[in-house]
Amino acid sequence: MNLPSIGSDRLPSLADRRGAPRSADIRALRPRTARPAPLDRPLHMRVRDVLDFFEKCPECGYPAQASAVEREMASGRVEVVVSPSCGLPCGWRGAPRTTVTGAAPAA
């Protein structure tokens, strides 16, 4: 069995090849492209002041104010994001603290 030297342009013949015989040629698989998820874009958006927001600014103690952004999405889902801020220009902005009052433990 005569194998070509390294760097030779001649490929070995089928009889000169070593290894297990193949039943068929192997083709490279094309990667499946995933379909992009449909965009859940907002259809309607409304910003309103939260009138029953009774927190104080943790920085200066002045009463805080909050606004709620409501987004109605194309899928029918409704998102509401509440963002509190200081009523004075101290610059505090944060996440609302949630507390449950008047709740009884489950029996």
Side-chain angles (χ1 to χ4, degrees):
M1 168 165 49
N2 292 333
L3 293 176
S5 62
I6 295 176
S8 169
D9 291 337
R10 187 179 80 78
L11 295 176
S13 67
L14 290 176
D16 292 339
R17 291 186 184 175
R18 296 181 189 169
R22 294 192 174 137
S23 61
D25 290 336
I26 296 175
R27 285 188 288 167
L29 295 175
R30 291 184 299 169
R32 288 188 177 182
T33 56
R35 288 185 175 184
L39 296 177
D40 196 15
R41 58 186 175 84
L43 294 178
H44 302 285
M45 190 166 87
R46 182 173 81 165
V47 179
R48 62 178 177 84
D49 288 333
V50 179
L51 299 178
D52 56 352
F53 189 77
F54 302 109
E55 281 192 30
K56 292 192 179 225
C57 173
E59 299 291 322
C60 66
Y62 193 80
Q65 59 191 23
S67 59
V69 178
E70 298 176 4
R71 291 183 189 101
E72 182 182 342
M73 307 305 270
S75 65
R77 187 170 49 103
V78 176
E79 291 180 355
V80 178
V81 177
V82 177
S83 56
S85 61
C86 182
L88 287 177
C90 84
W92 174 80
R93 293 177 106 31
R97 296 176 296 216
T98 56
T99 57
V100 178
T101 58

